[in-house]
Amino acid sequence: MKIARKPMKKARIEIIPMIDTMFFLLVFFMLATLTMTTQSGLPVNLPQANGVQDETKQIVTLTLTQDGNIFYDKQQINSPAEAVSRLTQQNKRELLPTVIINADRSVEHGRVVELLDAVRQSGVIKVAIAVKPSGDSTVTHM
């Protein structure tokens, strides 16, 4: 009795799973590189507010940090009076700027009012105090 044997199939490499793996790795590395962006700014823990609007055009940013330093567009200044002189100079060169005040949550209320009063003394009309939307617990960098 003779048994009929089927010819053995040749081994072959399946390329479809390898393509799937390569696409997965491509997407993974694309997302990983997007999260590696660095934000160069000053960390300020902003208070929260419900009526936040991002329509204000930022021209001048004044920042009060937790340790009491004042920054005028990322340049440290000594006092609110120096902010007044810089804003007055800018008023002479351009139209009145919009000023955004970034004050850390732990800064005393009096320091924020002092800076706000200094901004008003320079003749600036458009002033906004930066807040983060409710439910956002991340630190904002300006």
mmCIF file with all atom_site columns, all heavy atoms in Angstrom, residues 76-97:
data_model
loop_
_atom_site.group_PDB
_atom_site.id
_atom_site.type_symbol
_atom_site.label_atom_id
_atom_site.label_alt_id
_atom_site.label_comp_id
_atom_site.label_asym_id
_atom_site.label_entity_id
_atom_site.label_seq_id
_atom_site.pdbx_PDB_ins_code
_atom_site.Cartn_x
_atom_site.Cartn_y
_atom_site.Cartn_z
_atom_site.occupancy
_atom_site.B_iso_or_equiv
_atom_site.pdbx_formal_charge
_atom_site.auth_seq_id
_atom_site.auth_comp_id
_atom_site.auth_asym_id
_atom_site.auth_atom_id
_atom_site.pdbx_PDB_model_num
ATOM 1   N N   . GLN A 1 76 ? 13.485 90.514  34.728 1.00 0.00 ? 76 GLN A N   1
ATOM 2   C CA  . GLN A 1 76 ? 13.238 90.868  36.112 1.00 0.00 ? 76 GLN A CA  1
ATOM 3   C C   . GLN A 1 76 ? 13.433 92.367  36.333 1.00 0.00 ? 76 GLN A C   1
ATOM 4   O O   . GLN A 1 76 ? 14.388 92.960  35.840 1.00 0.00 ? 76 GLN A O   1
ATOM 5   C CB  . GLN A 1 76 ? 14.165 90.084  37.041 1.00 0.00 ? 76 GLN A CB  1
ATOM 6   C CG  . GLN A 1 76 ? 13.817 90.269  38.496 1.00 0.00 ? 76 GLN A CG  1
ATOM 7   C CD  . GLN A 1 76 ? 14.558 89.316  39.401 1.00 0.00 ? 76 GLN A CD  1
ATOM 8   O OE1 . GLN A 1 76 ? 15.359 88.516  38.941 1.00 0.00 ? 76 GLN A OE1 1
ATOM 9   N NE2 . GLN A 1 76 ? 14.293 89.391  40.685 1.00 0.00 ? 76 GLN A NE2 1
ATOM 10  N N   . ILE A 1 77 ? 12.469 92.954  37.056 1.00 0.00 ? 77 ILE A N   1
ATOM 11  C CA  . ILE A 1 77 ? 12.563 94.364  37.417 1.00 0.00 ? 77 ILE A CA  1
ATOM 12  C C   . ILE A 1 77 ? 12.537 94.462  38.934 1.00 0.00 ? 77 ILE A C   1
ATOM 13  O O   . ILE A 1 77 ? 12.179 93.512  39.626 1.00 0.00 ? 77 ILE A O   1
ATOM 14  C CB  . ILE A 1 77 ? 11.441 95.212  36.774 1.00 0.00 ? 77 ILE A CB  1
ATOM 15  C CG1 . ILE A 1 77 ? 10.058 94.705  37.190 1.00 0.00 ? 77 ILE A CG1 1
ATOM 16  C CG2 . ILE A 1 77 ? 11.585 95.244  35.271 1.00 0.00 ? 77 ILE A CG2 1
ATOM 17  C CD1 . ILE A 1 77 ? 8.924  95.568  36.697 1.00 0.00 ? 77 ILE A CD1 1
ATOM 18  N N   . ASN A 1 78 ? 12.895 95.639  39.457 1.00 0.00 ? 78 ASN A N   1
ATOM 19  C CA  . ASN A 1 78 ? 13.046 95.788  40.901 1.00 0.00 ? 78 ASN A CA  1
ATOM 20  C C   . ASN A 1 78 ? 11.761 96.194  41.612 1.00 0.00 ? 78 ASN A C   1
ATOM 21  O O   . ASN A 1 78 ? 11.558 95.823  42.763 1.00 0.00 ? 78 ASN A O   1
ATOM 22  C CB  . ASN A 1 78 ? 14.146 96.807  41.205 1.00 0.00 ? 78 ASN A CB  1
ATOM 23  C CG  . ASN A 1 78 ? 15.491 96.330  40.688 1.00 0.00 ? 78 ASN A CG  1
ATOM 24  O OD1 . ASN A 1 78 ? 15.783 95.150  40.714 1.00 0.00 ? 78 ASN A OD1 1
ATOM 25  N ND2 . ASN A 1 78 ? 16.292 97.261  40.201 1.00 0.00 ? 78 ASN A ND2 1
ATOM 26  N N   . SER A 1 79 ? 10.926 97.000  40.951 1.00 0.00 ? 79 SER A N   1
ATOM 27  C CA  . SER A 1 79 ? 9.754  97.531  41.653 1.00 0.00 ? 79 SER A CA  1
ATOM 28  C C   . SER A 1 79 ? 8.641  97.834  40.652 1.00 0.00 ? 79 SER A C   1
ATOM 29  O O   . SER A 1 79 ? 8.877  97.932  39.448 1.00 0.00 ? 79 SER A O   1
ATOM 30  C CB  . SER A 1 79 ? 10.131 98.805  42.403 1.00 0.00 ? 79 SER A CB  1
ATOM 31  O OG  . SER A 1 79 ? 10.467 99.816  41.477 1.00 0.00 ? 79 SER A OG  1
ATOM 32  N N   . PRO A 1 80 ? 7.420  98.029  41.164 1.00 0.00 ? 80 PRO A N   1
ATOM 33  C CA  . PRO A 1 80 ? 6.332  98.460  40.283 1.00 0.00 ? 80 PRO A CA  1
ATOM 34  C C   . PRO A 1 80 ? 6.607  99.818  39.645 1.00 0.00 ? 80 PRO A C   1
ATOM 35  O O   . PRO A 1 80 ? 6.121  100.103 38.549 1.00 0.00 ? 80 PRO A O   1
ATOM 36  C CB  . PRO A 1 80 ? 5.121  98.529  41.215 1.00 0.00 ? 80 PRO A CB  1
ATOM 37  C CG  . PRO A 1 80 ? 5.425  97.570  42.312 1.00 0.00 ? 80 PRO A CG  1
ATOM 38  C CD  . PRO A 1 80 ? 6.912  97.665  42.495 1.00 0.00 ? 80 PRO A CD  1
ATOM 39  N N   . ALA A 1 81 ? 7.402  100.674 40.302 1.00 0.00 ? 81 ALA A N   1
ATOM 40  C CA  . ALA A 1 81 ? 7.735  101.981 39.718 1.00 0.00 ? 81 ALA A CA  1
ATOM 41  C C   . ALA A 1 81 ? 8.523  101.810 38.423 1.00 0.00 ? 81 ALA A C   1
ATOM 42  O O   . ALA A 1 81 ? 8.353  102.577 37.471 1.00 0.00 ? 81 ALA A O   1
ATOM 43  C CB  . ALA A 1 81 ? 8.532  102.810 40.716 1.00 0.00 ? 81 ALA A CB  1
ATOM 44  N N   . GLU A 1 82 ? 9.367  100.792 38.363 1.00 0.00 ? 82 GLU A N   1
ATOM 45  C CA  . GLU A 1 82 ? 10.105 100.532 37.135 1.00 0.00 ? 82 GLU A CA  1
ATOM 46  C C   . GLU A 1 82 ? 9.159  100.065 36.031 1.00 0.00 ? 82 GLU A C   1
ATOM 47  O O   . GLU A 1 82 ? 9.347  100.407 34.859 1.00 0.00 ? 82 GLU A O   1
ATOM 48  C CB  . GLU A 1 82 ? 11.184 99.472  37.389 1.00 0.00 ? 82 GLU A CB  1
ATOM 49  C CG  . GLU A 1 82 ? 12.151 99.314  36.247 1.00 0.00 ? 82 GLU A CG  1
ATOM 50  C CD  . GLU A 1 82 ? 13.293 98.375  36.575 1.00 0.00 ? 82 GLU A CD  1
ATOM 51  O OE1 . GLU A 1 82 ? 13.572 98.137  37.764 1.00 0.00 ? 82 GLU A OE1 1
ATOM 52  O OE2 . GLU A 1 82 ? 13.920 97.879  35.617 1.00 0.00 ? 82 GLU A OE2 1
ATOM 53  N N   . ALA A 1 83 ? 8.125  99.320  36.403 1.00 0.00 ? 83 ALA A N   1
ATOM 54  C CA  . ALA A 1 83 ? 7.115  98.914  35.422 1.00 0.00 ? 83 ALA A CA  1
ATOM 55  C C   . ALA A 1 83 ? 6.386  100.134 34.892 1.00 0.00 ? 83 ALA A C   1
ATOM 56  O O   . ALA A 1 83 ? 6.084  100.227 33.690 1.00 0.00 ? 83 ALA A O   1
ATOM 57  C CB  . ALA A 1 83 ? 6.132  97.926  36.049 1.00 0.00 ? 83 ALA A CB  1
ATOM 58  N N   . VAL A 1 84 ? 6.118  101.114 35.763 1.00 0.00 ? 84 VAL A N   1
ATOM 59  C CA  . VAL A 1 84 ? 5.454  102.354 35.338 1.00 0.00 ? 84 VAL A CA  1
ATOM 60  C C   . VAL A 1 84 ? 6.310  103.084 34.315 1.00 0.00 ? 84 VAL A C   1
ATOM 61  O O   . VAL A 1 84 ? 5.817  103.532 33.272 1.00 0.00 ? 84 VAL A O   1
ATOM 62  C CB  . VAL A 1 84 ? 5.163  103.272 36.557 1.00 0.00 ? 84 VAL A CB  1
ATOM 63  C CG1 . VAL A 1 84 ? 4.703  104.645 36.104 1.00 0.00 ? 84 VAL A CG1 1
ATOM 64  C CG2 . VAL A 1 84 ? 4.124  102.653 37.451 1.00 0.00 ? 84 VAL A CG2 1
ATOM 65  N N   . SER A 1 85 ? 7.610  103.198 34.592 1.00 0.00 ? 85 SER A N   1
ATOM 66  C CA  . SER A 1 85 ? 8.473  103.937 33.663 1.00 0.00 ? 85 SER A CA  1
ATOM 67  C C   . SER A 1 85 ? 8.575  103.217 32.320 1.00 0.00 ? 85 SER A C   1
ATOM 68  O O   . SER A 1 85 ? 8.544  103.845 31.268 1.00 0.00 ? 85 SER A O   1
ATOM 69  C CB  . SER A 1 85 ? 9.856  104.145 34.273 1.00 0.00 ? 85 SER A CB  1
ATOM 70  O OG  . SER A 1 85 ? 10.512 102.906 34.457 1.00 0.00 ? 85 SER A OG  1
ATOM 71  N N   . ARG A 1 86 ? 8.673  101.897 32.345 1.00 0.00 ? 86 ARG A N   1
ATOM 72  C CA  . ARG A 1 86 ? 8.742  101.153 31.078 1.00 0.00 ? 86 ARG A CA  1
ATOM 73  C C   . ARG A 1 86 ? 7.436  101.260 30.290 1.00 0.00 ? 86 ARG A C   1
ATOM 74  O O   . ARG A 1 86 ? 7.450  101.414 29.078 1.00 0.00 ? 86 ARG A O   1
ATOM 75  C CB  . ARG A 1 86 ? 9.072  99.684  31.339 1.00 0.00 ? 86 ARG A CB  1
ATOM 76  C CG  . ARG A 1 86 ? 10.494 99.455  31.737 1.00 0.00 ? 86 ARG A CG  1
ATOM 77  C CD  . ARG A 1 86 ? 10.780 97.985  31.787 1.00 0.00 ? 86 ARG A CD  1
ATOM 78  N NE  . ARG A 1 86 ? 12.152 97.734  32.199 1.00 0.00 ? 86 ARG A NE  1
ATOM 79  C CZ  . ARG A 1 86 ? 12.771 96.594  32.023 1.00 0.00 ? 86 ARG A CZ  1
ATOM 80  N NH1 . ARG A 1 86 ? 12.155 95.587  31.442 1.00 0.00 ? 86 ARG A NH1 1
ATOM 81  N NH2 . ARG A 1 86 ? 14.000 96.426  32.429 1.00 0.00 ? 86 ARG A NH2 1
ATOM 82  N N   . LEU A 1 87 ? 6.307  101.157 30.995 1.00 0.00 ? 87 LEU A N   1
ATOM 83  C CA  . LEU A 1 87 ? 5.014  101.266 30.306 1.00 0.00 ? 87 LEU A CA  1
ATOM 84  C C   . LEU A 1 87 ? 4.813  102.674 29.756 1.00 0.00 ? 87 LEU A C   1
ATOM 85  O O   . LEU A 1 87 ? 4.268  102.849 28.660 1.00 0.00 ? 87 LEU A O   1
ATOM 86  C CB  . LEU A 1 87 ? 3.877  100.895 31.251 1.00 0.00 ? 87 LEU A CB  1
ATOM 87  C CG  . LEU A 1 87 ? 3.718  99.411  31.548 1.00 0.00 ? 87 LEU A CG  1
ATOM 88  C CD1 . LEU A 1 87 ? 2.727  99.194  32.681 1.00 0.00 ? 87 LEU A CD1 1
ATOM 89  C CD2 . LEU A 1 87 ? 3.269  98.658  30.303 1.00 0.00 ? 87 LEU A CD2 1
ATOM 90  N N   . THR A 1 88 ? 5.246  103.681 30.491 1.00 0.00 ? 88 THR A N   1
ATOM 91  C CA  . THR A 1 88 ? 5.129  105.066 30.010 1.00 0.00 ? 88 THR A CA  1
ATOM 92  C C   . THR A 1 88 ? 5.966  105.260 28.754 1.00 0.00 ? 88 THR A C   1
ATOM 93  O O   . THR A 1 88 ? 5.524  105.909 27.797 1.00 0.00 ? 88 THR A O   1
ATOM 94  C CB  . THR A 1 88 ? 5.561  106.048 31.112 1.00 0.00 ? 88 THR A CB  1
ATOM 95  O OG1 . THR A 1 88 ? 4.796  105.777 32.293 1.00 0.00 ? 88 THR A OG1 1
ATOM 96  C CG2 . THR A 1 88 ? 5.334  107.473 30.686 1.00 0.00 ? 88 THR A CG2 1
ATOM 97  N N   . GLN A 1 89 ? 7.172  104.703 28.742 1.00 0.00 ? 89 GLN A N   1
ATOM 98  C CA  . GLN A 1 89 ? 8.016  104.789 27.548 1.00 0.00 ? 89 GLN A CA  1
ATOM 99  C C   . GLN A 1 89 ? 7.367  104.085 26.369 1.00 0.00 ? 89 GLN A C   1
ATOM 100 O O   . GLN A 1 89 ? 7.406  104.562 25.235 1.00 0.00 ? 89 GLN A O   1
ATOM 101 C CB  . GLN A 1 89 ? 9.394  104.185 27.823 1.00 0.00 ? 89 GLN A CB  1
ATOM 102 C CG  . GLN A 1 89 ? 10.245 104.991 28.751 1.00 0.00 ? 89 GLN A CG  1
ATOM 103 C CD  . GLN A 1 89 ? 11.535 104.258 29.115 1.00 0.00 ? 89 GLN A CD  1
ATOM 104 O OE1 . GLN A 1 89 ? 11.776 103.152 28.670 1.00 0.00 ? 89 GLN A OE1 1
ATOM 105 N NE2 . GLN A 1 89 ? 12.350 104.897 29.948 1.00 0.00 ? 89 GLN A NE2 1
ATOM 106 N N   . GLN A 1 90 ? 6.767  102.929 26.635 1.00 0.00 ? 90 GLN A N   1
ATOM 107 C CA  . GLN A 1 90 ? 6.114  102.191 25.556 1.00 0.00 ? 90 GLN A CA  1
ATOM 108 C C   . GLN A 1 90 ? 4.875  102.936 25.060 1.00 0.00 ? 90 GLN A C   1
ATOM 109 O O   . GLN A 1 90 ? 4.554  102.891 23.877 1.00 0.00 ? 90 GLN A O   1
ATOM 110 C CB  . GLN A 1 90 ? 5.737  100.783 26.019 1.00 0.00 ? 90 GLN A CB  1
ATOM 111 C CG  . GLN A 1 90 ? 5.244  99.905  24.891 1.00 0.00 ? 90 GLN A CG  1
ATOM 112 C CD  . GLN A 1 90 ? 5.162  98.451  25.299 1.00 0.00 ? 90 GLN A CD  1
ATOM 113 O OE1 . GLN A 1 90 ? 5.546  98.062  26.381 1.00 0.00 ? 90 GLN A OE1 1
ATOM 114 N NE2 . GLN A 1 90 ? 4.646  97.644  24.411 1.00 0.00 ? 90 GLN A NE2 1
ATOM 115 N N   . ASN A 1 91 ? 4.182  103.634 25.968 1.00 0.00 ? 91 ASN A N   1
ATOM 116 C CA  . ASN A 1 91 ? 3.015  104.424 25.555 1.00 0.00 ? 91 ASN A CA  1
ATOM 117 C C   . ASN A 1 91 ? 3.408  105.536 24.599 1.00 0.00 ? 91 ASN A C   1
ATOM 118 O O   . ASN A 1 91 ? 2.655  105.896 23.704 1.00 0.00 ? 91 ASN A O   1
ATOM 119 C CB  . ASN A 1 91 ? 2.319  105.037 26.774 1.00 0.00 ? 91 ASN A CB  1
ATOM 120 C CG  . ASN A 1 91 ? 1.557  104.007 27.581 1.00 0.00 ? 91 ASN A CG  1
ATOM 121 O OD1 . ASN A 1 91 ? 1.331  102.889 27.127 1.00 0.00 ? 91 ASN A OD1 1
ATOM 122 N ND2 . ASN A 1 91 ? 1.180  104.380 28.785 1.00 0.00 ? 91 ASN A ND2 1
ATOM 123 N N   . LYS A 1 92 ? 4.593  106.095 24.795 1.00 0.00 ? 92 LYS A N   1
ATOM 124 C CA  . LYS A 1 92 ? 5.052  107.173 23.920 1.00 0.00 ? 92 LYS A CA  1
ATOM 125 C C   . LYS A 1 92 ? 5.394  106.654 22.528 1.00 0.00 ? 92 LYS A C   1
ATOM 126 O O   . LYS A 1 92 ? 5.215  107.346 21.539 1.00 0.00 ? 92 LYS A O   1
ATOM 127 C CB  . LYS A 1 92 ? 6.279  107.857 24.529 1.00 0.00 ? 92 LYS A CB  1
ATOM 128 C CG  . LYS A 1 92 ? 5.964  108.641 25.777 1.00 0.00 ? 92 LYS A CG  1
ATOM 129 C CD  . LYS A 1 92 ? 7.209  109.233 26.393 1.00 0.00 ? 92 LYS A CD  1
ATOM 130 C CE  . LYS A 1 92 ? 6.874  109.943 27.692 1.00 0.00 ? 92 LYS A CE  1
ATOM 131 N NZ  . LYS A 1 92 ? 8.080  110.430 28.376 1.00 0.00 ? 92 LYS A NZ  1
ATOM 132 N N   . ARG A 1 93 ? 5.913  105.418 22.450 1.00 0.00 ? 93 ARG A N   1
ATOM 133 C CA  . ARG A 1 93 ? 6.316  104.843 21.162 1.00 0.00 ? 93 ARG A CA  1
ATOM 134 C C   . ARG A 1 93 ? 5.137  104.268 20.386 1.00 0.00 ? 93 ARG A C   1
ATOM 135 O O   . ARG A 1 93 ? 5.124  104.304 19.168 1.00 0.00 ? 93 ARG A O   1
ATOM 136 C CB  . ARG A 1 93 ? 7.335  103.723 21.387 1.00 0.00 ? 93 ARG A CB  1
ATOM 137 C CG  . ARG A 1 93 ? 8.684  104.189 21.848 1.00 0.00 ? 93 ARG A CG  1
ATOM 138 C CD  . ARG A 1 93 ? 9.651  103.033 21.842 1.00 0.00 ? 93 ARG A CD  1
ATOM 139 N NE  . ARG A 1 93 ? 9.099  101.859 22.481 1.00 0.00 ? 93 ARG A NE  1
ATOM 140 C CZ  . ARG A 1 93 ? 9.570  101.305 23.591 1.00 0.00 ? 93 ARG A CZ  1
ATOM 141 N NH1 . ARG A 1 93 ? 10.595 101.835 24.192 1.00 0.00 ? 93 ARG A NH1 1
ATOM 142 N NH2 . ARG A 1 93 ? 9.007  100.240 24.093 1.00 0.00 ? 93 ARG A NH2 1
ATOM 143 N N   . GLU A 1 94 ? 4.168  103.695 21.070 1.00 0.00 ? 94 GLU A N   1
ATOM 144 C CA  . GLU A 1 94 ? 3.076  102.970 20.412 1.00 0.00 ? 94 GLU A CA  1
ATOM 145 C C   . GLU A 1 94 ? 1.738  103.423 20.978 1.00 0.00 ? 94 GLU A C   1
ATOM 146 O O   . GLU A 1 94 ? 1.668  104.284 21.838 1.00 0.00 ? 94 GLU A O   1
ATOM 147 C CB  . GLU A 1 94 ? 3.222  101.461 20.672 1.00 0.00 ? 94 GLU A CB  1
ATOM 148 C CG  . GLU A 1 94 ? 4.559  100.876 20.320 1.00 0.00 ? 94 GLU A CG  1
ATOM 149 C CD  . GLU A 1 94 ? 4.689  99.442  20.835 1.00 0.00 ? 94 GLU A CD  1
ATOM 150 O OE1 . GLU A 1 94 ? 3.742  98.925  21.432 1.00 0.00 ? 94 GLU A OE1 1
ATOM 151 O OE2 . GLU A 1 94 ? 5.753  98.861  20.638 1.00 0.00 ? 94 GLU A OE2 1
ATOM 152 N N   . LEU A 1 95 ? 0.709  102.732 20.512 1.00 0.00 ? 95 LEU A N   1
ATOM 153 C CA  . LEU A 1 95 ? -0.596 102.901 21.130 1.00 0.00 ? 95 LEU A CA  1
ATOM 154 C C   . LEU A 1 95 ? -0.566 102.251 22.503 1.00 0.00 ? 95 LEU A C   1
ATOM 155 O O   . LEU A 1 95 ? 0.336  101.491 22.825 1.00 0.00 ? 95 LEU A O   1
ATOM 156 C CB  . LEU A 1 95 ? -1.672 102.236 20.268 1.00 0.00 ? 95 LEU A CB  1
ATOM 157 C CG  . LEU A 1 95 ? -1.871 102.825 18.875 1.00 0.00 ? 95 LEU A CG  1
ATOM 158 C CD1 . LEU A 1 95 ? -2.856 101.993 18.098 1.00 0.00 ? 95 LEU A CD1 1
ATOM 159 C CD2 . LEU A 1 95 ? -2.357 104.262 18.978 1.00 0.00 ? 95 LEU A CD2 1
ATOM 160 N N   . LEU A 1 96 ? -1.547 102.553 23.318 1.00 0.00 ? 96 LEU A N   1
ATOM 161 C CA  . LEU A 1 96 ? -1.589 101.990 24.663 1.00 0.00 ? 96 LEU A CA  1
ATOM 162 C C   . LEU A 1 96 ? -1.592 100.467 24.589 1.00 0.00 ? 96 LEU A C   1
ATOM 163 O O   . LEU A 1 96 ? -2.417 99.868  23.896 1.00 0.00 ? 96 LEU A O   1
ATOM 164 C CB  . LEU A 1 96 ? -2.835 102.471 25.403 1.00 0.00 ? 96 LEU A CB  1
ATOM 165 C CG  . LEU A 1 96 ? -2.880 103.958 25.722 1.00 0.00 ? 96 LEU A CG  1
ATOM 166 C CD1 . LEU A 1 96 ? -4.216 104.319 26.339 1.00 0.00 ? 96 LEU A CD1 1
ATOM 167 C CD2 . LEU A 1 96 ? -1.748 104.354 26.638 1.00 0.00 ? 96 LEU A CD2 1
ATOM 168 N N   . PRO A 1 97 ? -0.665 99.819  25.303 1.00 0.00 ? 97 PRO A N   1
ATOM 169 C CA  . PRO A 1 97 ? -0.603 98.354  25.243 1.00 0.00 ? 97 PRO A CA  1
ATOM 170 C C   . PRO A 1 97 ? -1.654 97.706  26.141 1.00 0.00 ? 97 PRO A C   1
ATOM 171 O O   . PRO A 1 97 ? -2.225 98.349  27.015 1.00 0.00 ? 97 PRO A O   1
ATOM 172 C CB  . PRO A 1 97 ? 0.802  98.051  25.760 1.00 0.00 ? 97 PRO A CB  1
ATOM 173 C CG  . PRO A 1 97 ? 1.076  99.155  26.715 1.00 0.00 ? 97 PRO A CG  1
ATOM 174 C CD  . PRO A 1 97 ? 0.403  100.365 26.119 1.00 0.00 ? 97 PRO A CD  1
#
